[in-house]
Amino acid sequence: MYEVLAILAAFVFLYSIVAGGMERTPVNGALVFTVFGLVFGPLGLDLLKLEVGAEGLRTLAELTLAMVLFTDASNADLGVLKKTLRIPQRLLLVGLPLTIVFGFGIGVLLFGGLTLFEVAILATMLAPTDAALGKAVVSDERVPANIREGLNVESGLNDGICVPILFVFLGLAVAATGHGDGDVKPLMLVVEEIGLGAGVGLGLTFVGVWGLRQAGARGWITETWRQLSVPGLAVTCFALAQVLGGSGFIAAFAGGLLFGAIAKEHKPKLLLAAEGTGDTLALITWVVFGAVVVGQSLDAFSWRVVLYAVLSLTAVRMLPVFLVLGGMNLRSDEKLFMGWFGPRGLASIVFAVIVLNAKLPGGDTITMTVVCTILLSIILHGLSANPLVAALGARTKRAES
């Protein structure tokens, strides 16, 4: 235990002192963390003997995503968002369903051994984009503000929207095996997940900010404990929504949006610790992913799995985005940029554990395809982020001059 702790702590320290320099290179943090886990894990030096099961990885990924969603939403520029709201609206209401349909069609062609419900599950698992992996893009001011806010809102909401859709298909797939009762109410499930999630996030955040203000006015909060207020609020929004049957991801993002709107004067100081907590959780999650998941999965990647992963990151994502953004006064390179930067990550990990626990006949194929897609996304989106952001920024400047 102490050997593992020493290695992880030393890595956290070393990365923390070079993180600023690393951000200026084509190599992103998630790629570094995953490679570190792979090299020091069982497939490499076998020094990281991490006994983290599927549920442990799911919890890590959920907490990381909740923290990232809350802080990203809090940092959103609501003024810009109001002017460009049609972009995320189209991406979520039209682009997301189209992505699932395209993913379903490709899956039917490639995976003849899966049932139609299992293919639909796979397409849904890989439809949401990852807020943590996309953070470098949505926080870079070289990217036009409307694109940044559009991608930020899309990644903040699409995973929560996909949760009830996934459970509908999962319920139908389990019922088809003869082990379930088939009592699935799609509309009710969607309304509960999204409605309860948003309600919990907004309600808790409003009460939380009121409490912060009251305690601050009375001098009850010390600087040390002030740093834990936002991480505590973000996790509470997520966890309570999950307990009540809503989407914790929707709750975290909705709560973050409200927090950013009503806590403007203290927002930078309050969010600093939460962002640090999110980054630390992300580091641990990707190290575990590299050591425990990737190391055990490489031998199971067939050509069909790899081909679906590549198509999921390219045509399945980029074509719907390009189509739905037509008539939005966006250049072709901007639409392609938004289509490409739809990385897959934490939400898909959570979905993979859920599907794995359902023990579907095609569960292994589905899980391996998701793992392969996430791994390729970490590599390709990580290496391409800085060069493509720089190129887009240069084109935007030329277009404005």
Side-chain angles (χ1 to χ4, degrees):
M1 180 184 71
Y2 294 116
E3 181 181 348
V4 171
L5 183 60
I7 293 171
L8 277 176
F11 178 61
V12 170
F13 172 75
L14 290 173
Y15 188 81
S16 68
I17 63 178
V18 300
M22 292 295 297
E23 288 174 359
R24 294 191 289 271
T25 72
V27 181
N28 70 344
L31 179 56
V32 175
F33 308 152
T34 303
V35 170
F36 175 82
L38 190 59
V39 171
F40 281 80
L43 197 66
L45 302 175
D46 198 21
L47 295 176
L48 277 178
K49 296 177 174 62
L50 298 170
E51 297 181 3
V52 180
E55 286 302 320
L57 179 59
R58 174 183 173 179
T59 302
L60 256 179
E62 285 181 333
L63 290 176
T64 304
L65 188 54
M67 199 65 63
V68 172
L69 289 173
F70 193 97
T71 54
D72 279 4
S74 297
N75 284 318
D77 189 329
L78 297 182
V80 173
L81 183 58
K82 287 178 183 177
K83 298 175 183 177
T84 61
L85 192 58
R86 285 199 305 155
I87 293 178
Q89 278 181 338
R90 289 198 185 187
L91 290 174
L92 291 168
L93 298 180
V94 185
L96 183 60
L98 270 181
T99 299
I100 295 175
V101 170
F102 280 30
F104 176 79
I106 297 294
V108 169
L109 294 176
L110 286 178
F111 297 116
L114 299 181
T115 67
L116 294 180
F117 289 135
E118 289 175 331
V119 175
I121 288 169
L122 175 61
T124 305
M125 292 167 71
L126 291 174
T129 55
D130 186 74
L133 287 179
K135 190 173 182 179
V137 172
V138 300
S139 61
D140 196 316
E141 294 188 358
R142 291 176 295 178
V143 179
N146 60 335
I147 294 178
R148 280 189 279 122
E149 296 304 330
L151 289 174
N152 187 31
V153 173
E154 182 200 16
S155 64
L157 295 177
N158 58 14
D159 37 29
I161 293 172
C162 283
V163 170
I165 299 173
L166 175 68
F167 280 124
V168 168
F169 288 137
L170 192 57
L172 294 171
V174 171
T177 65
H179 299 299
D181 58 13
D183 186 20
V184 178
K185 299 176 181 178
L187 183 59
M188 183 63 68
L189 189 57
V190 171
V191 170
E192 285 180 356
E193 287 274 343
I194 297 176
L196 275 174
V200 168
L202 294 173
L204 273 178
T205 301
F206 182 82
V207 173
V209 172
W210 177 84
L212 275 171
R213 286 175 173 166
Q214 296 302 312
R218 290 166 173 77
W220 292 348
I221 308 179
T222 65
E223 285 302 313
T224 301
W225 287 100
R226 189 192 303 273
Q227 299 176 61
L228 298 179
S229 57
V230 175
L233 181 59
V235 173
T236 304
C237 288
F238 170 79
L240 185 59
Q242 294 288 110
V243 168
L244 296 177
S247 169
F249 301 135
I250 293 286
F253 192 80
L257 281 176
L258 182 60
F259 184 87
I262 63 179
K264 294 178 182 178
E265 63 275 13
H266 303 298
K267 186 170 71 171
K269 184 184 294 186
L270 289 170
L271 287 177
L272 192 60
E275 291 175 336
T277 302
D279 288 343
T280 304
L281 287 172
L283 182 153
I284 296 171
T285 302
W286 292 120
V287 168
V288 172
F289 180 74
V292 178
V293 179
V294 175
Q296 299 176 3
S297 304
L298 291 176
D299 292 339
F301 291 167
S302 66
W303 70 268
R304 287 184 174 84
V305 166
V306 175
L307 180 57
Y308 186 93
V310 171
L311 291 173
S312 178
L313 295 174
T314 53
V316 171
R317 156 76 183 178
M318 296 176 73
L319 186 54
V321 169
F322 195 90
L323 291 174
V324 301
L325 292 179
M328 295 290 295
N329 197 28
L330 292 168
R331 304 190 310 269
S332 292
D333 64 307
E334 292 176 322
K335 289 185 282 188
L336 290 172
F337 181 91
M338 296 186 73
W340 170 242
F341 282 106
R344 314 307 199 281
L346 298 174
S348 296
I349 291 176
V350 174
F351 293 167
V353 175
I354 292 172
V355 172
L356 196 62
N357 289 339
K359 301 187 184 306
L360 296 173
D364 288 343
T365 299
I366 294 172
T367 304
M368 287 303 101
T369 307
V370 171
V371 170
C372 183
T373 307
I374 295 171
L375 181 60
L376 287 179
S377 180
I378 292 171
I379 297 170
L380 298 176
H381 289 114
L383 294 177
S384 64
N386 281 344
L388 291 182
V389 165
L392 181 67
R395 289 194 192 97
T396 301
K397 280 188 176 180
R398 287 199 298 268
E400 292 174 348
S401 60

CSV table of all heavy atoms in Angstrom, one decimal, residues 236-259:
chain,number,residue,atom,x,y,z
A,236,THR,N,-22.6,17.4,-3.2
A,236,THR,CA,-23.9,17.3,-2.6
A,236,THR,C,-25.0,17.3,-3.7
A,236,THR,O,-25.9,16.5,-3.8
A,236,THR,CB,-24.2,18.4,-1.6
A,236,THR,OG1,-23.2,18.3,-0.6
A,236,THR,CG2,-25.5,18.2,-1.0
A,237,CYS,N,-24.8,18.3,-4.7
A,237,CYS,CA,-25.8,18.4,-5.8
A,237,CYS,C,-25.8,17.1,-6.6
A,237,CYS,O,-26.9,16.5,-6.9
A,237,CYS,CB,-25.3,19.5,-6.7
A,237,CYS,SG,-25.6,21.2,-6.1
A,238,PHE,N,-24.6,16.5,-6.9
A,238,PHE,CA,-24.6,15.3,-7.7
A,238,PHE,C,-25.2,14.1,-6.9
A,238,PHE,O,-26.0,13.4,-7.4
A,238,PHE,CB,-23.1,15.0,-8.0
A,238,PHE,CG,-22.9,13.6,-8.5
A,238,PHE,CD1,-23.2,13.3,-9.9
A,238,PHE,CD2,-22.5,12.5,-7.7
A,238,PHE,CE1,-23.0,12.0,-10.4
A,238,PHE,CE2,-22.3,11.3,-8.2
A,238,PHE,CZ,-22.6,11.0,-9.6
A,239,ALA,N,-24.8,13.9,-5.6
A,239,ALA,CA,-25.2,12.7,-4.9
A,239,ALA,C,-26.6,12.8,-4.5
A,239,ALA,O,-27.3,11.7,-4.6
A,239,ALA,CB,-24.3,12.6,-3.6
A,240,LEU,N,-27.2,13.9,-4.1
A,240,LEU,CA,-28.6,14.0,-3.7
A,240,LEU,C,-29.5,13.8,-5.0
A,240,LEU,O,-30.5,13.1,-4.9
A,240,LEU,CB,-28.9,15.3,-3.1
A,240,LEU,CG,-30.3,15.5,-2.6
A,240,LEU,CD1,-30.6,14.4,-1.5
A,240,LEU,CD2,-30.6,16.9,-2.0
A,241,ALA,N,-29.1,14.3,-6.1
A,241,ALA,CA,-29.9,14.0,-7.3
A,241,ALA,C,-29.9,12.5,-7.6
A,241,ALA,O,-30.9,12.0,-8.0
A,241,ALA,CB,-29.3,14.8,-8.5
A,242,GLN,N,-28.8,11.9,-7.5
A,242,GLN,CA,-28.7,10.4,-7.7
A,242,GLN,C,-29.6,9.7,-6.8
A,242,GLN,O,-30.3,8.7,-7.2
A,242,GLN,CB,-27.3,9.9,-7.6
A,242,GLN,CG,-26.3,10.5,-8.6
A,242,GLN,CD,-26.5,9.9,-10.0
A,242,GLN,OE1,-26.9,10.5,-10.9
A,242,GLN,NE2,-26.2,8.6,-10.1
A,243,VAL,N,-29.6,10.1,-5.5
A,243,VAL,CA,-30.4,9.4,-4.5
A,243,VAL,C,-31.9,9.5,-4.8
A,243,VAL,O,-32.7,8.6,-4.7
A,243,VAL,CB,-30.1,10.0,-3.1
A,243,VAL,CG1,-31.2,9.5,-2.1
A,243,VAL,CG2,-28.7,9.6,-2.6
A,244,LEU,N,-32.3,10.7,-5.3
A,244,LEU,CA,-33.7,11.0,-5.6
A,244,LEU,C,-34.2,10.5,-6.9
A,244,LEU,O,-35.3,10.6,-7.3
A,244,LEU,CB,-34.0,12.5,-5.5
A,244,LEU,CG,-33.8,13.1,-4.1
A,244,LEU,CD1,-34.0,14.6,-4.1
A,244,LEU,CD2,-34.7,12.5,-3.1
A,245,GLY,N,-33.3,9.9,-7.7
A,245,GLY,CA,-33.6,9.3,-9.0
A,245,GLY,C,-33.4,10.3,-10.2
A,245,GLY,O,-33.9,10.0,-11.3
A,246,GLY,N,-32.7,11.4,-9.9
A,246,GLY,CA,-32.4,12.3,-11.0
A,246,GLY,C,-31.0,12.1,-11.5
A,246,GLY,O,-30.3,11.2,-11.1
A,247,SER,N,-30.6,12.9,-12.5
A,247,SER,CA,-29.3,12.8,-13.0
A,247,SER,C,-28.3,13.7,-12.2
A,247,SER,O,-28.5,15.0,-12.2
A,247,SER,CB,-29.3,13.3,-14.5
A,247,SER,OG,-27.9,13.4,-15.0
A,248,GLY,N,-27.4,13.1,-11.6
A,248,GLY,CA,-26.4,13.9,-10.8
A,248,GLY,C,-25.6,14.8,-11.7
A,248,GLY,O,-25.1,15.9,-11.3
A,249,PHE,N,-25.4,14.4,-13.0
A,249,PHE,CA,-24.6,15.2,-13.9
A,249,PHE,C,-25.3,16.5,-14.3
A,249,PHE,O,-24.8,17.6,-14.3
A,249,PHE,CB,-24.2,14.4,-15.2
A,249,PHE,CG,-23.5,13.2,-14.9
A,249,PHE,CD1,-23.8,12.0,-15.5
A,249,PHE,CD2,-22.4,13.2,-14.0
A,249,PHE,CE1,-23.1,10.8,-15.2
A,249,PHE,CE2,-21.7,12.0,-13.7
A,249,PHE,CZ,-22.0,10.8,-14.3
A,250,ILE,N,-26.6,16.4,-14.5
A,250,ILE,CA,-27.4,17.5,-14.8
A,250,ILE,C,-27.5,18.4,-13.6
A,250,ILE,O,-27.4,19.7,-13.7
A,250,ILE,CB,-28.9,17.1,-15.2
A,250,ILE,CG1,-28.9,16.4,-16.5
A,250,ILE,CG2,-29.8,18.3,-15.2
A,250,ILE,CD1,-28.7,17.2,-17.7
A,251,ALA,N,-27.6,17.9,-12.4
A,251,ALA,CA,-27.6,18.6,-11.2
A,251,ALA,C,-26.3,19.4,-11.0
A,251,ALA,O,-26.3,20.6,-10.6
A,251,ALA,CB,-27.8,17.7,-10.0
A,252,ALA,N,-25.2,18.8,-11.2
A,252,ALA,CA,-23.9,19.5,-11.1
A,252,ALA,C,-23.7,20.6,-12.0
A,252,ALA,O,-23.3,21.7,-11.7
A,252,ALA,CB,-22.7,18.5,-11.2
A,253,PHE,N,-24.1,20.4,-13.3
A,253,PHE,CA,-24.0,21.5,-14.3
A,253,PHE,C,-25.0,22.6,-14.0
A,253,PHE,O,-24.6,23.8,-14.1
A,253,PHE,CB,-24.2,20.9,-15.7
A,253,PHE,CG,-23.8,21.9,-16.8
A,253,PHE,CD1,-22.4,22.0,-17.1
A,253,PHE,CD2,-24.7,22.6,-17.5
A,253,PHE,CE1,-22.0,22.9,-18.1
A,253,PHE,CE2,-24.3,23.5,-18.4
A,253,PHE,CZ,-23.0,23.7,-18.8
A,254,ALA,N,-26.2,22.3,-13.7
A,254,ALA,CA,-27.2,23.3,-13.5
A,254,ALA,C,-26.8,24.1,-12.2
A,254,ALA,O,-26.9,25.3,-12.2
A,254,ALA,CB,-28.6,22.7,-13.3
A,255,GLY,N,-26.4,23.4,-11.2
A,255,GLY,CA,-25.9,24.1,-10.0
A,255,GLY,C,-24.7,25.0,-10.3
A,255,GLY,O,-24.7,26.1,-9.7
A,256,GLY,N,-23.8,24.5,-11.1
A,256,GLY,CA,-22.7,25.4,-11.4
A,256,GLY,C,-23.1,26.6,-12.2
A,256,GLY,O,-22.5,27.7,-11.9
A,257,LEU,N,-24.0,26.5,-13.1
A,257,LEU,CA,-24.5,27.7,-13.9
A,257,LEU,C,-25.1,28.7,-12.9
A,257,LEU,O,-24.8,29.9,-13.0
A,257,LEU,CB,-25.5,27.3,-14.9
A,257,LEU,CG,-25.0,26.7,-16.2
A,257,LEU,CD1,-26.2,26.2,-17.1
A,257,LEU,CD2,-24.1,27.7,-17.0
A,258,LEU,N,-25.9,28.3,-12.0
A,258,LEU,CA,-26.5,29.2,-11.0
A,258,LEU,C,-25.5,29.8,-10.1
A,258,LEU,O,-25.5,31.0,-9.8
A,258,LEU,CB,-27.6,28.5,-10.2
A,258,LEU,CG,-28.3,29.4,-9.2
A,258,LEU,CD1,-29.1,30.5,-9.9
A,258,LEU,CD2,-29.3,28.5,-8.4
A,259,PHE,N,-24.5,29.0,-9.7
A,259,PHE,CA,-23.5,29.5,-8.8
A,259,PHE,C,-22.7,30.6,-9.5
A,259,PHE,O,-22.4,31.6,-8.9
A,259,PHE,CB,-22.5,28.3,-8.4
A,259,PHE,CG,-21.5,28.7,-7.4
A,259,PHE,CD1,-21.7,28.7,-6.0
A,259,PHE,CD2,-20.2,29.1,-7.8
A,259,PHE,CE1,-20.7,29.1,-5.1
A,259,PHE,CE2,-19.2,29.5,-7.0
A,259,PHE,CZ,-19.5,29.5,-5.6
